[in-house]
Amino acid sequence: MKLLVVGAGIGGLGAAVALRQQGFDVDVVEIKQEFSVYGVGINHPANSLRALRSLGVLDETLGIGYQFRNTTFLDEQGELIVRLDSAMGGDDMPANNALSRLDLHRILIAAAERHDVKIQYGKTMRSFTDTGGEVEVVFTDGRQEAYDLVVAFDGIKSPTRHILFGPEHDAVYSGFGVFRVTLPRPDFLDGTRVYQAVGVKAGFLPLSVDSMYMFIVTPDPAHVIHRPEDFVDVLRERMAPFGSLPGEVRDSLTSSDDIVYSRISDVLLPLPWFRGRVGVLGDAAHACAPHLTQGAGMALEDAVVLAECLAADGTLAERLRAFEQRRYPRAKLVQDVSRGILESEMGITEATWGATVQGMRDHLAEQMGGIERFLDAPA
Ligand SMILES: Cc1cc2nc3c(=O)[nH]c(=O)nc-3n(C[C@H](O)[C@H](O)[C@H](O)COP(=O)(O)OP(=O)(O)OC[C@H]3O[C@@H](n4cnc5c(N)ncnc54)[C@H](O)[C@@H]3O)c2cc1C
């Protein structure tokens, strides 16, 4: 089979490697002129690490990242609410590994190149026609090529999803945004720390021995647009309630810190994700709020499972249906739980604070344990 992968993000690069591992021919096109990702961090829980192992890049990512098992929830002044140890992973696999997105991308690009994948930057599909027997693609550089299958990992704003399934499946803004910045890691930060205040959350993740990554989740009406030159002032203002680590970080932020702002949106495309020989995967099919740190893991699992299903017996339609049936329940669980956590954290009021904290102490370990058991099972 000859496949076109649209988008050289995390999922597209993973798919290129996984498909080459199964012996398929793969072309990759990426609309950006060159590779660029935000210089912030990303966490991979054990299920994402298993997908990276399957792609042959686990050791490299572990070598460069920071492994941890614990997540500590605190109030805005740093008083402990509850500390959880993840049940994911095992003897051969850490519960979590966080690393810089730049490093992850470099590792995935190098893996694709080792498998003779040529990534064509500054190029995408201008149009495609599914003739039933193949897909005829016309590229933006005027070239034409026929493929057996087109898989679009073209992100949350996926133009391919829009063309195949219409505007009713565009991503929906949650009403919340997130500021992110990479900073030096204090010695005591050996796992995730989440500081919860009414209406705002501060999180910290170790990324390496030297660095950590802070994220601040905050409400923003849809019409609000922050200018990059205002990020530091807006961030300081949003972090006003905090003492402890977030308070210290707030007071030391400067305009030269590389602060990134993103809106939190999500989309879950109902099945099918393929129309004939063209389909959408990764964020294009199921972008979620970042609260379980599972978006990239779901895209990487899509990549590995797609290649496995395509290498199995059956007609192409049967193999694609098998892929969708395997992937939809995991994508839906991640989507529902991530959205639920976002809404419940941001919905805390002064009146519900006490009951919320008690509920976290009483039930969070059991709730997270159930979700982790599901995610830790084979993808
Ligand atoms: C604040 C935040 C924090 C997050 N933290 C985590 C985390 O800790 N762990 C985790 O697992 N996930 C996390 N995620 C989610 C994760 O980043 C995404 O789920 C993941 O990047 C999805 O991979 P993808 O390949 O599907 O899409 P993307 O990584 O978005 O890649 C899409 C690619 O397609 C390209 N493209 C777009 N349009 C076209 C076109 N027409 N033609 C060709 N190319 C095109 C884009 O330029 C891009 O390179 C987070 C997300 C956010 C917003």
Side-chain angles (χ1 to χ4, degrees):
M1 281 181 84
K2 184 175 163 197
L3 291 97
L4 175 66
V5 175
V6 181
I10 297 170
L13 291 169
V17 173
L19 292 164
R20 289 291 301 131
Q21 285 173 325
Q22 297 287 358
F24 299 118
D25 284 343
V26 183
D27 287 343
V28 179
V29 287
E30 164 58 51
I31 200 164
K32 286 186 206 154
Q33 293 297 334
E34 56 190 26
F35 128 69
S36 70
V37 290
Y38 287 143
V40 288
I42 187 158
N43 182 46
H44 287 139
N47 62 309
S48 317
L49 296 175
R50 286 197 188 95
L52 291 170
R53 180 169 64 190
S54 172
L55 299 175
V57 296
L58 177 66
D59 290 345
E60 274 175 279
T61 55
L62 295 184
I64 214 157
Y66 193 102
Q67 290 96 61
F68 62 92
R69 183 167 293 283
N70 67 83
T71 300
T72 308
F73 294 86
L74 309 105
D75 72 10
E76 81 273 15
Q77 297 306 327
E79 288 297 317
L80 178 70
I81 298 175
V82 63
R83 179 184 148 122
L84 304 182
D85 279 331
S86 170
M88 291 183 80
D91 292 343
D92 63 338
M93 189 64 73
N96 293 280
N97 182 60
L99 75 168
S100 141
R101 279 181 184 259
L102 288 167
D103 288 334
L104 173 66
H105 234 76
R106 285 197 194 102
I107 288 169
L108 289 172
I109 288 172
E113 287 172 354
R114 279 198 298 278
H115 286 86
D116 295 326
V117 175
K118 189 165 174 293
I119 304 162
Q120 300 177 64
Y121 290 95
K123 176 171 171 176
T124 189
M125 299 192 292
R126 177 176 293 152
S127 64
F128 57 84
T129 310
D130 185 342
T131 64
E134 60 184 14
V135 190
E136 291 169 358
V137 176
V138 180
F139 291 102
T140 42
D141 63 3
R143 285 189 50 242
Q144 298 187 20
E145 192 92 33
Y147 294 92
D148 296 302
L149 195 67
V150 174
V151 291
F153 281 87
D154 50 0
I156 188 166
K157 294 181 182 163
S158 173
T160 312
R161 183 187 62 229
H162 195 86
I163 292 166
L164 288 177
F165 300 101
E168 60 272 32
H169 296 295
D170 286 354
V172 176
Y173 175 50
S174 66
F176 300 96
V178 53
F179 289 92
R180 289 176 285 173
V181 60
T182 302
L183 298 160
R185 182 184 74 89
D187 283 344
F188 63 82
L189 191 83
D190 61 358
T192 306
R193 284 194 174 210
V194 176
Y195 295 78
Q196 185 68 54
V198 172
V200 58
K201 174 176 104 165
F204 296 86
L205 270 172
L207 291 184
S208 70
V209 175
D210 301 320
S211 63
M212 71 172 180
Y213 142 69
M214 177 178 81
F215 53 93
I216 303 293
V217 182
T218 169
D220 264 331
H223 65 271
V224 170
I225 295 171
H226 302 299
R227 297 178 309 167
E229 58 269 36
D230 297 334
F231 282 176
V232 69
D233 292 332
V234 179
L235 183 50
R236 279 206 206 103
E237 178 214 312
R238 301 293 167 94
M239 293 179 73
F242 292 106
S244 192
L245 175 62
E248 285 163 29
V249 168
R250 174 198 58 227
D251 295 343
S252 66
L253 285 171
T254 70
S255 52
S256 60
D257 284 318
D258 191 9
I259 299 168
V260 169
Y261 175 79
S262 311
R263 288 170 165 244
I264 299 177
S265 302
D266 57 19
V267 58
L268 179 61
L269 186 66
L271 294 183
W273 293 343
F274 279 85
R275 280 260 159 91
R277 290 174 176 265
V278 184
V280 291
L281 299 89
D283 268 13
H286 48 70
C288 55
H291 288 60
L292 288 175
T293 63
Q294 280 288 349
M298 289 299 108
L300 290 166
E301 286 185 1
D302 280 356
V304 171
V305 174
L306 177 72
E308 267 175 45
C309 289
L310 289 179
D313 293 334
T315 65
L316 180 61
E318 286 166 351
R319 287 177 278 162
L320 293 177
R321 290 297 87 82
F323 164 77
E324 293 173 343
Q325 295 300 332
R326 245 172 96 178
R327 296 304 302 148
Y328 187 83
R330 282 174 85 80
K332 178 157 173 44
L333 177 112
V334 166
Q335 159 114 153
D336 290 347
V337 173
S338 302
R339 185 65 182 237
I341 297 172
L342 167 68
E343 288 176 354
S344 60
E345 285 176 350
M346 290 294 111
I348 299 172
T349 63
E350 298 289 353
T352 61
W353 175 262
T356 304
V357 167
Q358 197 53 51
M360 288 171 77
R361 289 189 175 128
D362 292 346
H363 304 299
L364 201 54
E366 190 189 335
Q367 288 166 347
M368 285 310 297
I371 294 159
E372 288 183 346
R373 275 192 294 283
F374 180 85
L375 290 171
D376 220 16

